[in-house]
Amino acid sequence: MNAGDDLSADDALAEIGRMRRSVGRSATSMGWLYLAWGVAALLYWPAIFFAPSPVPRVAALAWMALTVLSLVYACRLGVYDRARMHSRVAAVWVAAMVGVALFGLYVIPEHPSGWWVAAGLAATILAALPVLYAAWRLRPWEGAR
């Protein structure tokens, strides 16, 4: 659509509706992606902190694959809605993930038990909260926008 095109009121309204649906679809898709990342984080950190030897390596490889696939998906999606929210969520989530990684590296003992398990699970929840909050804000489960 060119800026110089003369539109009737009905055509303009139809174009606005088409753009709103396009933005709504990309926002809904990002909401599902955020929800998937939140669930993945809730599974990833306990696997890293508490699982026996081969499981953390498999979890790390799965995390890397999920990262690459998600970046490709988000770029192909062309997310337009709430761009400021996406950058804020990404910044807070990266900070939370780095904090939990440092917590696991320097604070949790090699073989945690008792309160260390509770602390590791609390850190896991804190790491997943930014993306779960973003998914809740976008609410992809509420259907078409």
Side-chain angles (χ1 to χ4, degrees):
M1 157 155 256
N2 294 330
D5 288 347
D6 291 330
L7 291 177
S8 68
D10 290 335
D11 291 340
L13 188 58
E15 182 66 17
I16 290 170
R18 187 185 67 77
M19 292 303 292
R20 181 173 286 157
R21 285 187 301 277
S22 174
V23 168
R25 279 191 300 270
S26 65
T28 300
S29 298
M30 279 307 292
W32 285 116
L33 188 61
Y34 283 146
L35 187 61
W37 272 106
V39 171
L42 290 173
L43 298 173
Y44 173 75
W45 286 112
I48 294 295
F49 290 155
F50 309 122
S53 182
V55 175
R57 286 190 202 107
V58 172
L61 291 173
W63 190 265
M64 286 185 259
L66 186 60
T67 300
V68 170
L69 291 173
S70 294
L71 288 174
V72 169
Y73 177 71
C75 288
R76 289 182 52 102
L77 188 60
V79 176
Y80 305 109
D81 190 31
R82 306 174 198 241
R84 285 189 300 161
M85 186 184 82
H86 295 311
S87 60
R88 288 181 192 153
V89 167
V92 171
W93 191 44
V94 166
M97 293 294 282
V98 168
V100 172
L102 293 174
F103 175 76
L105 189 61
Y106 294 113
V107 178
I108 290 185
E110 189 172 333
H111 300 289
S113 63
W115 286 104
W116 287 112
V117 173
L121 293 176
T124 296
I125 292 168
L126 287 175
L129 274 179
V131 287
L132 291 176
Y133 173 74
W136 178 80
R137 287 282 309 266
L138 293 173
R139 290 183 196 85
W141 50 86
E142 288 186 354
R145 297 183 169 266

